[in-house]
Amino acid sequence: MITQDWLTDAVLYIYALSLLFFVSDAASGNRSAKKVGTGLLVFVWILQGVFLLALLFDRLSVPSLTLKDYLFFVSWLLVSASFILNRLLRAELLVLLVNVVGFAVLALNLIELPKQNARLEPWEVARRLLIVHVSLITIAFAVLTIAAILGVMYLFLHQRLKAKKWTHVMSRMPSLEWIDQYAYRAGLIGVPLLLLSLSTGTVALLLDASPAKLLDEKVLLSFAAGALYVVYLIRRMASPDNGTKLAMWNLLGYALLVTGFFASSLSSFHQLL
């Protein structure tokens, strides 16, 4: 076993195997490999769902959240999003990349970190707001991860087209206009969710009479990421033709968001990560 949890091991092995079949399809157009990969991915999604349901029932009495639980949920959201993208958009390479990121997020469970529980203190209204804050920022992170993947795809395809270096991989990618459009749509969903999560977290701190915690490094980085994403959306609405710079703004906001998530050693906000 890689980990001490058989369910995590099973999900990791099956997830890795499904990605191998998806890569085979992306490289050679093997339709049979895609069907097998999709079937394995459905099984991964079911196993993750079983884990999350068990977690829900286990934590009803004492609300708490560990890093492992959080990463498992983000990975499940990314797998779910990949099914929706595959069904609605038929963007095969995007589906593959989303699942690669989902697998990487799940694999972070292998890292031995100090066991920190996100104990939700009995703040009455503040505690409930903090639950809403965690839920919103988790969904926002999953959506903005997809937007960031699209940003990377845009920069890669733009650079290749500019250099006139056509490859087989590029034939499996959508157009620059398509990538830019759907990155923008993902931003329109993810950014409001991020801002709502920050606002509920701020209100929870104020109700708990802890305004000084708003100067916490994690909080400041999250607000900075939100500000950059707002600039990205405004610039996208004002000048949609400047795709390269817009993709950079998108990725810069995501980089700050990820940095904030993993600033756990400096954070005193709620020690989620």
Side-chain angles (χ1 to χ4, degrees):
M1 294 178 67
I2 297 178
T3 69
Q4 300 302 314
D5 182 359
W6 69 268
L7 181 58
T8 302
D9 281 339
V11 172
L12 280 171
Y13 287 132
I14 299 171
Y15 206 159
L17 189 59
S18 71
L19 289 179
L20 290 177
F21 282 105
F22 276 116
V23 169
S24 175
D25 172 51
S28 60
N30 189 336
R31 299 288 93 179
S32 297
K34 180 182 178 181
K35 290 180 180 179
V36 174
T38 302
L40 291 173
L41 194 60
V42 170
F43 192 44
V44 167
W45 184 79
I46 292 173
L47 287 178
Q48 288 180 315
V50 170
F51 173 87
L52 292 173
L53 285 175
L55 176 66
L56 178 63
F57 285 112
D58 185 52
R59 305 294 168 83
L60 283 177
S61 57
V62 183
S64 65
L65 191 67
T66 65
L67 174 62
K68 179 178 178 179
D69 301 336
Y70 181 81
L71 294 178
F72 220 105
F73 184 48
V74 171
S75 179
W76 179 83
L77 284 175
L78 290 174
V79 174
S80 303
S82 73
F83 287 137
I84 297 173
L85 291 172
N86 188 49
R87 182 70 177 176
L88 297 180
L89 307 178
R90 302 293 180 183
E92 297 172 352
L93 187 58
L94 175 60
V95 171
L96 172 60
L97 292 175
V98 168
N99 278 298
V100 168
V101 174
F103 178 79
V105 170
L106 186 62
L108 286 175
N109 280 301
L110 303 180
I111 299 175
E112 292 296 331
L113 294 174
K115 293 185 178 180
Q116 297 174 341
N117 286 340
R119 297 284 176 183
L120 300 178
E121 301 296 336
W123 298 340
E124 298 181 353
V125 177
R127 182 180 69 86
R128 298 185 181 184
L129 284 174
L130 188 57
I131 295 174
V132 174
H133 161 75
V134 172
S135 302
L136 288 173
I137 204 165
T138 301
I139 300 172
F141 184 70
V143 174
L144 293 174
T145 295
I146 295 174
I149 292 172
L150 288 167
V152 172
M153 289 177 63
Y154 187 97
L155 293 176
F156 171 79
L157 184 59
H158 181 271
Q159 189 275 331
R160 286 287 178 171
L161 291 175
K162 188 175 181 180
K164 298 182 179 180
K165 294 181 179 179
W166 186 263
T167 63
H168 173 70
V169 173
M170 294 170 62
S171 66
R172 310 299 296 272
M173 298 178 68
S175 66
L176 288 174
E177 292 77 13
W178 187 98
I179 296 173
D180 175 66
Q181 180 183 16
Y182 280 95
Y184 174 59
R185 291 182 180 181
L188 286 176
I189 297 172
V191 174
L193 289 174
L194 175 62
L195 297 179
L196 283 173
S197 72
L198 294 176
S199 63
T200 53
T202 299
V203 173
L205 287 178
L206 294 177
L207 289 175
D208 190 48
S210 304
K213 290 185 179 180
L214 291 174
L215 299 178
D216 181 277
E217 288 83 355
K218 175 180 292 221
V219 177
L220 293 176
L221 285 169
S222 298
F223 273 107
L228 280 178
Y229 273 120
V230 170
V231 172
Y232 159 70
L233 293 179
I234 293 174
R235 289 174 66 94
R236 174 60 175 74
M237 288 185 286
S239 180
D241 297 330
N242 200 351
T244 304
K245 289 185 178 180
L246 290 170
M248 292 299 296
W249 277 97
N250 177 11
L251 292 177
L252 185 57
Y254 186 73
L256 278 180
L257 189 61
V258 171
T259 302
F261 272 129
F262 288 94
S264 56
S265 61
L266 301 176
S267 177
S268 60
F269 179 27
H270 48 57
Q271 293 291 334
L272 180 57
L273 293 179

